[in-house]
Amino acid sequence: MDYPVWQLAAAGGGFWIALIATVHVFVAHFAVGGGLFLVLTEAKGHRENSPAILDYVKSHTTFFLLLTMVFGGLSGVAIWFTIAVLSPGGTLTLVDAFVWGWATEWTFFLGEIAALLVYHYSFGRMPAKDHMRVGFLYFAFAWLSLFTINGIVGVMLTPGAWAATNDFWDGMFNPSFWPSLVFRSFLSFMLAGFFGFVTAIKIKDAPARERVVRSCVLWAVISLPFLALSGWWYLSVLPESTLAFILHGSTEITPYLAALPVIAVLVGMFALIMAVRLPLAVRTPVAALLLVLGFGVVGAFEYIREAGRRPFIISGRMWSTGIVPAQAEPLSDAFLPRARWARNKDITEKNRLDAGRELYAFQCLPCHSLGGPMKDIHTYTGQIGNEGVSAYITGQGRIFKQMPPFIGSPAEREALAAYITATVNGKQLDKPVVADIPALPTDIPAYDPDTAPHVLLSWCTLGLKCITDADGFFTFLPPGSAVGAVLIRRDIVPEVVKDGVEISYAAPEGFKHPSRHVEFWKYAPSLVGKKPKPDQSAAGKGMDGTLAFNEKSGTFEAAGIPVVPFADDGSINPYPLFTITAKDTATGRVLAETRTVLPVSSELSCWKCHGGAFRKGGVMGISDVTAEGILTVHDRRSGTDLAARAAAGRPVSCQSCHPDALFDAPGDPKRLNLSAAMHGFHANYLTGRGEEACAMCHPDSPTGATRCQRDNHAQKGIGCSRCHGYLEDHALTVLRSEKAAGKDRADIFMKNLTPRSVAAVSEINPRLAWIQEPDCLTCHTDFQTPDVATARAFNVWVKDRSGLYRSRKEDTGNVPCMACHGAPHATYPAKNPYGQDRDNIQPIQYMGAAGPIGGGKRCDVCHTVEMEGGEIHHPNMVKD
Amino acid sequence: MDPAALAPPLVTIPAPWGIFEALLLLTFTVHLLFMNVVLGGSIIALATGGRRDTPAQALAKTLPTTLALTVNMGVPPLLFLSVMFGGYLYTASVLSAVYWLSLIALAMAAYYLLYIYSYGWKKGVSRAPAMAVAVAFLLSVSFIMSNIMSLLQHPAAWTAYFDNPGGTILNLGDPTFFPRWLHFVTASLAVGGLYVALSNARAAGRGDAAATAKKSLGLFWFTRATLVQIALGIWFLLALPTDVMLLFMGKSGLHTAVFLTGLAAVAAALYFGFRGQVRSTVGALAATVALMVGMRDLVRTAYLAPYFHPGKLPVVPQYGPLAVFLISLVAAIGLTWYMVSLYLRTKGRA
């Protein structure tokens, strides 16, 4: 922000420094080791009285001078030029701290150049002792320059005490100084051997040639164990987080780490081959190969060292973007006005993409090229749109530390996401998914209020059931809905019928073969360890069946009905109408019949961040591409092998690791439960959003194919957050509960979540997922109607399952709340997108009006005489 | 956009700025002298290569080494410039990044071409085309350098970045650019010629005819180039912004004194040069270069005065490392002297 950014495209992401620095280091280390090689080989030549060897040293010196002084020297200056343009702030920080170090290094260069020129130009004319003294002086100067620069390069990775003291000596002799020095010294000796081969294999005098070549073999091979040991030493001095990142935290670094021992073995092999007297035609390519392998060692080592430092250019002090963390605060303040070199200061419709370009240049380009070899941003974002990119930007640097956090306002974040999506990836910006929903007929079953002896009330226990229809890859919501019913015999004092009746359910036509539309049955043995028959659940329930009477709850129930939102005719309907029939067991006569929606949807928009698209009709379903994307990132971040398992046809359920109270799944008790893991992780990527964040995963987008938040509260403008909190709040409730249970993993997710509905995290009341939910009575104190504008139920939870809305009954203990008020999120009067009264069938059937059963003083639904008083079932039943 | 808004932030330095200033001026003067010998000597070698008594052969032998020393001596001034004016230098570098980075490639290529030229002479083959390309590359290097150095002191030109962030900005619109660059190139011709004269002075004194001819040739280049220099210098002075120019024409005692002393030194150099007194010419020329370096520094400070002065940089001193540097410098110079003396002792032998 303080300096202009060189707007590169394909050569962005640090390409120039990666290329120039690795090439320089390759030659420069040779310049150090080769110096010792020259003088020791000269000594050998004198010792063995071999003019051939001495001639060799002379010609190798010429080669040495042309390569190291010209290319090596100038490429070193090139590094300086390059870092100045790619990271002016970082370079100046180092210059101002270590100027005398660099000045001292320059004095060594001076001596080095003088020594090499004298050594070269006086070869054969200077007395041997003097000449070799000059050679040793060359090596001493060269090694000292390595000594010095080693300190400055090392402080960038392991600042040690320098971070606090800014003392020059603390910086130079930082924690990785000595292991790095030893490593680089032996690297120099190894490279000296390799470069030695290049000229030695051409010596015409055969005995001399073999002696020199064999000494090159020694230089190369003896260095290897010292490289390994000092490399180990180097790793051992790294701070724990840096070491963890290098070893496990970066899929980019891992191949380089793996390559090093392989290269070492190859080096040993081919170097030893050189010891055998083979023809020049063989030795030449082997020598070339060894140079390539040597460059491989240098490249891998330098890449690991640089990448291990992410997200910093100077650890702890300055990010790779040249921005200092302390100056970035507050992170959510607009960035462009703070950046001297931005020409756009605020975001407008006209300049949005250009502002995005600038934001990219300042905060992304230092690591991410546009279409080039260095972390091409297209690779990371090409599969998603701007909504997904926006989520990535929101969450970067929070859980995974290889990136710094984004600095900027929400408008800037969106501008950057738009730039990446539209300009860089050439895609259209995301548009809301707008489902074309047909109006379906809502046939109200026949009912004669004058003569009907019974009232049959039924409900689905979940206002919405989602299924994850990516069974070939994973499941955490297999098909299996629950329906409940209560049969009331109308009377002066009505009675709940508990026996002598059979209550059955029947799926609508076209919905009886869910196995045709989802692959759950194909993978069930792998997913849930059971093998249910097609169209039946593991519990044994099919699409038509009976409800069994439950003594404890006093209602008829059937669970595990594997309904899916896909009809046989290819249409999508998340609200199939099931017919519930009560029959007299003895006579088989139908006592009552009604219809209930068993809602089910797979409108989970995972694809927005994980790639792919909706699987069905462009409006719902998890596609294979999306599912694979999810597993791939889970494997990468959590060290699992889920993608491989899925590819082998053995997908698992998420509950096999994550405890989940919804299914009473124990999972691995040490892990976060599924709700805490999912909400906790994803909340980090979706902070600062409104209720549209809920719709990323839950099917309540107002333009989607499901629109599940359809109850009377929704009609009054009460959204998810009033009861469940915003996503940050929602995640914190379950994370705090997990943390209280001793799972410290929750901390990493909580760290960057700020509650929106209460003032502080400490005020968030923990709750067990699925068990502790909002209590209706928090707003409806004494069953009164609260102020619609201000009523909030967030942060007050029921104590246990018995307090849940779906478990409770009215005060006589006979009738569940759901029977009269409807299913959660569809409480009467609800407005269903597929036909206004689709969820209100029973009120209309029994009362002729949508509303709670018996509401509006319609006690006659169940009571055959007029009733007085109004508190028997619950307070405030009768409103004035 | 107000260029002042683009001024880079202040940084802390580890010693009073005067120390860096002194080191910068000293080491830049040395760098400049070596650089002038390389550029001027290359042009002279190219121009006179076909003659009978050409200095090209001798030049060919020393030019690669001189370039090595030029590059080496370029490091300290770049370092000390980075300490005091780093934000300005690096901003200018980013604006001209493509040119700035190609500078290294050009210098490296020129270096290898000088070796090719030198080996050609050794074998008795003319490699004039190689030298021509080397000269073109070296001129490009000086062109780029002049651009960056003039851009760094001219924040008003930086706003061009907003229309061109691709690193291809040059400072050609600055009225001082061409006189500046031509002044430095012509200086190279002068110093190159003087170097030829100096190299042949002793042999000429002994009566060697070829050496005498080369000494005259060298002095000819020196004196004629210096005369052109004076004209270019006046152009340069007049092209400066008025308020800066006036500093050297009486408004500031220091600035005017440096200018006038510089003029006196160049007058002395011309005087000795026309009289063939090579060593005195060299002395006067060295003084001239040193004074011109000082003047150049004063110009830069004046240009940047509305935005910055190195005295504003906060100092957090740590002198131990400076002491280590000075000790290393003395040791390196001493050991270099020792090694060079060993070399000189061998020159008599075959």
Side-chain angles (χ1 to χ4, degrees), chain B residues 77-319:
Chain B
L78 196 61
L79 180 63
F80 300 127
L81 185 67
S82 297
V83 172
M84 289 196 296
F85 296 97
Y88 293 84
L89 173 62
Y90 293 169
T91 297
S93 315
V94 171
L95 266 46
S96 316
V98 174
Y99 299 108
W100 182 240
L101 292 185
S102 14
L103 187 155
I104 301 283
L106 291 165
M108 202 187 281
Y111 204 153
Y112 279 121
L113 286 164
L114 288 179
Y115 270 114
I116 289 171
Y117 182 75
S118 171
Y119 285 132
W121 268 107
K122 269 204 320 220
K123 291 193 185 153
V125 177
S126 166
R127 296 241 170 96
M131 181 50 104
V133 178
V135 166
F137 284 177
L138 290 172
L139 282 170
S140 308
V141 170
S142 70
F143 184 86
I144 296 169
M145 271 295 182
S146 288
N147 258 294
I148 304 279
M149 296 305 157
S150 60
L151 186 58
L152 81 82
Q153 64 189 35
H154 193 201
W158 294 358
T159 52
Y161 169 80
F162 296 107
D163 293 317
N164 177 11
T168 54
I169 292 172
L170 290 172
N171 197 29
L172 304 182
D174 185 335
T176 66
F177 175 73
F178 278 105
R180 177 196 191 100
W181 180 55
L182 291 170
H183 193 64
F184 295 153
V185 174
T186 314
S188 303
L189 298 175
V191 176
L194 188 57
Y195 173 75
V196 170
L198 182 61
S199 320
N200 289 282
R202 187 178 292 168
R206 288 198 305 260
D208 182 327
T212 308
K214 289 182 220 174
K215 175 185 152 186
S216 300
L217 175 72
L219 281 173
F220 178 84
W221 278 86
F222 171 73
T223 51
R224 300 316 187 265
T226 304
L227 286 170
V228 173
Q229 271 296 68
I230 294 173
L232 287 172
I234 292 171
W235 179 15
F236 193 174
L237 182 66
L238 294 175
L240 289 173
T242 314
D243 50 327
V244 176
M245 179 184 76
L246 289 175
L247 289 170
F248 295 94
M249 295 176 50
K251 195 144 171 264
S252 154
L254 171 67
H255 292 65
T256 312
V258 170
F259 180 41
L260 292 177
T261 317
L263 285 180
V266 78
L270 272 174
Y271 173 75
F272 292 124
F274 276 116
R275 284 169 59 110
Q277 291 170 262
V278 176
R279 279 194 187 80
S280 307
T281 312
V282 170
L285 183 274
T288 309
V289 172
L291 286 159
M292 288 295 140
V293 165
M295 196 169 157
R296 176 180 176 277
D297 187 77
L298 289 168
V299 167
R300 173 170 56 216
T301 307
Y303 261 85
L304 287 175
Y307 311 102
F308 169 78
H309 185 276
K312 288 211 183 103
L313 297 170
V315 179
V316 179
Q318 194 178 4
Y319 291 110

Side-chain angles (χ1 to χ4, degrees), chain A residues 65 127 219 248 259 283 299 344 544 605 695 730 772 795:
Chain A
L65 182 136
W219 279 87
H248 313 296
R283 276 178 161 171
N344 297 292
D544 300 333
S605 303
H730 193 67
Q772 294 177 289
N795 218 25

